[in-house]
Amino acid sequence: MEENIINYMNNIEKTELSREDKEFEKYLKLFKERFGRNAYIAEPSGTKQQTIEAIKICLDKNEDILDQLLYPNDNQELLY
């Protein structure tokens, strides 16, 4: 599995995406591998960079707290 991640990351670097898009794709993949679900950009005003920073926190803490980070004032349980 680790080899697949490394190959995926190397392929992202070779694509024609912007630096921000490459970084975003990298962190989406890392999040999916670690937590088994897709990450997303918070609506309606979220940014890729905001999502990247939230994913970094999740990876650092080894906890899937993405919903809490992107929607800190939302007390409702989110469905995904």
Side-chain angles (χ1 to χ4, degrees):
M1 182 186 292
E2 180 120 358
E3 186 175 312
N4 289 339
I5 294 172
I6 292 169
N7 289 336
Y8 180 82
M9 298 304 171
N10 288 337
N11 287 335
I12 287 175
E13 293 302 319
K14 295 176 187 174
T15 63
E16 297 289 327
L17 300 173
S18 70
R19 186 184 67 73
E20 181 185 42
D21 287 339
K22 287 178 182 179
E23 185 178 24
F24 184 64
E25 290 292 324
K26 178 176 93 172
Y27 280 100
L28 289 178
K29 179 69 174 175
L30 289 170
F31 187 87
K32 173 87 174 185
E33 290 290 326
R34 176 78 55 91
F35 302 112
R37 72 178 183 108
N38 292 322
Y40 53 87
I41 297 175
E43 295 296 336
S45 62
T47 65
K48 288 179 181 177
Q49 192 58 42
Q50 181 184 36
T51 302
I52 290 168
E53 294 304 318
I55 291 172
K56 286 179 181 179
I57 292 168
C58 291
L59 295 172
D60 186 49
K61 293 184 176 218
N62 198 27
E63 289 183 67
D64 181 359
I65 55 172
L66 188 64
D67 295 335
Q68 295 166 1
L69 294 171
L70 296 179
Y71 296 101
N73 296 323
D74 189 6
N75 293 327
Q76 296 178 348
E77 187 174 322
L78 298 174
L79 301 176
Y80 37 95

